[in-house]
Amino acid sequence: MRGRRGDRMTINIQEHMAINVCPGPIRPIRQISDYFPRRVPGPEGGCGGFGEAPAALAPLALAPPVALLGATTPEDGAEVDSYDSDDTTTLGMLEFDLLYDQASCTLHCSILRAKGLKPMDFNGLADPYVKLHLLPGACKANKLKTKTQRNTLNPVWNEDLTYSGITDDDITHKVLRISVCDEDKLSHNEFIGEIRVPLRRLKPSQKKHFNICLERQVPLASPSSMSAALRGISCYLKELEQVEQGPGLLEERGRILLSLSYSSWRRGLLVGIVRCAHLAAMDVNGYSDPYVKTYLRPDVDKKSKHKTCVKKKTLNPEFNEEFFYEIELSVLATKTLEVTVWDYDIGKSNDFIGGVSLGSGARGEARKHWGNCLQQPDTVLERWHTLTSELPPAAGALP
């Protein structure tokens, strides 16, 4: 394109961005300018002297602006696909230790550090924390949580979280779910990734080290689980537990440590309420005000009720209280000990947290504990028991 000397040349912005700065005449780079074709109104149009746009590019010139804004280059698309498809590199690694202490019935979880977490905030960083759950079981009752590390993708926690009341049966059937989430003060916390460790992989009193890639758990196909990424993982976790528990199984509400001893010289049963662990939260503040009641069923005279004091605002209360039932050993074999945990409320009825029944008609640890108490008089026997949302039927009690 050439003009008379002194005349000012007119170049539109699309051609200006495609100018090749090199010695010689100014010419547009065809490979770039082809993506920005000029709209020539017609043969009479005097807008430029470069000629009309290629016919093959006419549909691109007439494409709506929304399509152009939503398009991505091949390089951008490849980066997004690789970022979302490979969980082992995008979500990060979590390093932790697990130790099952069979003597004290505790599970020690040492959350060490994480590396290369997925950025969740606008600044390209995250505010990660770790949550633990035992599945299947109550979500709020057995949730443990670390502190939040601010503005980092490689957080270091070095925190020890402990589960109390873990039995050999739990080690056989339970699964530890370790979730890494991003804390957001202005909106809901976001889920980053998770790891599931079957507790049967642990050996008693042997610490096991893990350094595993986080995985993205596929949510359940329901409206509540589809929005779990925005509202946290509570709804998803609840539905998942219902599926894993299956029909007919009772919901777990925590653990209670009981001691039983039949005194031959006092001719009675000594029941010790030692402590509870991981109780279900019944109040809006995320805690409960628990106390324990015991009955020896059947209770014709209604005189077997005993009650502990109330422990305020806690899910892991320590009672260390003892109750005595004066009864012959032969008669005790026909009875059932009913232990219930309640949440104390002022001005309204108290909330039932959970309970357990010990007798000849019970199952599992409850039946074994009761049988050992009858067979070993004058011996204090302590056992952890699982609190359920409903009391099992007192099959061992006579009408």
Side-chain angles (χ1 to χ4, degrees):
M1 179 174 62
R2 304 180 64 179
R4 294 179 299 174
R5 179 176 299 178
D7 292 346
R8 188 173 182 178
M9 298 178 60
T10 302
I11 301 177
N12 58 28
I13 186 63
Q14 295 177 346
E15 294 174 351
H16 179 73
M17 298 300 295
I19 289 177
N20 181 15
V21 180
C22 63
I26 299 177
R27 298 176 182 176
I29 301 176
R30 183 170 298 277
Q31 289 83 355
I32 298 180
S33 61
D34 288 345
Y35 289 94
F36 303 92
R38 292 184 298 150
R39 297 182 182 179
V40 182
E44 292 84 13
C47 296
F50 290 111
E52 297 182 357
L57 299 175
L60 180 61
L62 300 178
V66 177
L68 295 176
L69 292 175
T72 58
T73 62
E75 291 79 10
D76 293 339
E79 181 180 357
V80 172
D81 293 340
S82 62
Y83 190 84
D84 291 339
S85 61
D86 191 357
D87 289 343
T88 62
T89 58
T90 63
L91 301 182
M93 305 275 294
L94 182 64
E95 188 175 354
F96 58 96
D97 294 331
L98 297 179
L99 172 63
Y100 170 54
D101 191 345
Q102 190 176 27
S104 60
C105 298
T106 55
L107 176 64
H108 300 277
C109 309
S110 300
I111 307 300
L112 303 179
R113 63 185 62 86
K115 295 181 180 180
L117 294 181
K118 177 181 177 181
M120 304 299 292
D121 300 335
F122 290 107
N123 58 2
L125 300 174
D127 302 321
Y129 65 93
V130 178
K131 289 200 299 185
L132 306 181
H133 293 88
L134 281 178
L135 301 178
C139 303
K140 296 181 180 179
N142 58 34
K143 181 183 74 174
L144 298 179
K145 178 182 174 183
T146 66
K147 296 180 180 179
T148 302
Q149 302 295 325
R150 301 291 178 184
N151 296 323
T152 178
L153 299 180
N154 301 283
V156 177
W157 288 284
N158 289 327
E159 293 189 35
D160 294 329
L161 305 177
T162 302
Y163 279 106
S164 301
I166 302 299
T167 62
D168 293 339
D169 185 68
D170 295 326
I171 296 297
T172 305
H173 300 93
K174 294 285 186 178
V175 175
L176 179 64
R177 183 179 192 263
I178 306 177
S179 307
V180 180
C181 302
D182 172 62
E183 182 179 292
D184 197 338
K185 294 182 178 180
L186 302 180
S187 63
H188 299 284
N189 298 341
E190 295 181 303
F191 173 77
I192 298 179
E194 70 170 27
I195 295 172
R196 299 198 178 195
V197 180
L199 297 185
R200 62 177 177 268
R201 297 176 58 183
L202 305 179
K203 296 182 180 180
S205 304
Q206 293 186 13
K207 180 182 292 187
K208 189 174 181 63
H209 183 75
F210 295 87
N211 191 9
I212 309 179
C213 297
L214 296 175
E215 298 179 355
R216 190 191 312 275
Q217 184 66 31
V218 180
L220 299 178
S222 65
S224 60
S225 61
M226 291 174 62
S227 60
L230 301 177
R231 298 184 296 104
I233 60 175
S234 58
C235 292
Y236 157 73
L237 197 57
K238 181 178 180 181
E239 294 175 0
L240 182 63
E241 290 171 25
Q242 293 177 356
V243 173
E244 293 184 354
Q245 286 178 354
L249 296 181
L250 300 177
E251 178 187 1
E252 295 185 10
R253 296 294 187 89
R255 304 295 174 92
I256 186 171
L257 180 58
L258 301 176
S259 67
L260 298 180
S261 176
Y262 183 82
S263 178
S264 57
W265 65 276
R266 296 179 62 183
R267 295 185 179 275
L269 175 66
L270 188 63
V271 180
I273 310 298
V274 183
R275 57 176 297 199
C276 295
H278 317 301
L279 295 179
M282 308 302 291
D283 298 335
V284 294
N285 58 5
Y287 294 95
S288 296
D289 302 321
Y291 67 94
V292 180
K293 292 194 300 184
T294 63
Y295 294 89
L296 202 57
R297 306 290 191 183
D299 186 13
V300 180
D301 300 330
K302 297 183 180 180
K303 295 181 180 180
S304 67
K305 175 183 175 181
H306 290 285
K307 187 173 77 171
T308 67
C309 61
V310 178
K311 300 295 182 179
K312 294 291 185 178
K313 197 177 180 180
T314 178
L315 300 180
N316 300 278
E318 293 188 8
F319 298 100
N320 294 317
E321 299 187 29
E322 292 183 344
F323 306 125
F324 182 75
Y325 292 99
E326 186 175 354
I327 186 174
E328 294 293 335
L329 183 60
S330 58
V331 180
L332 182 62
T334 64
K335 298 286 186 177
T336 297
L337 179 64
E338 182 181 289
V339 182
T340 56
V341 182
W342 299 78
D343 170 54
Y344 177 76
D345 290 322
I346 300 178
K348 60 178 181 179
S349 59
N350 300 330
D351 298 323
F352 174 72
I353 297 180
V356 61
S357 292
L358 289 80
S360 58
R363 297 180 179 178
E365 290 293 330
R367 181 173 182 175
K368 184 178 180 180
H369 193 188
W370 185 258
N372 292 340
C373 175
L374 299 179
Q375 297 172 6
Q376 304 176 27
D378 303 317
T379 303
V380 179
L381 303 173
E382 282 191 358
R383 292 283 178 82
W384 282 95
H385 298 279
T386 301
L387 299 172
T388 59
S389 56
E390 297 179 7
L391 279 175
L398 297 177

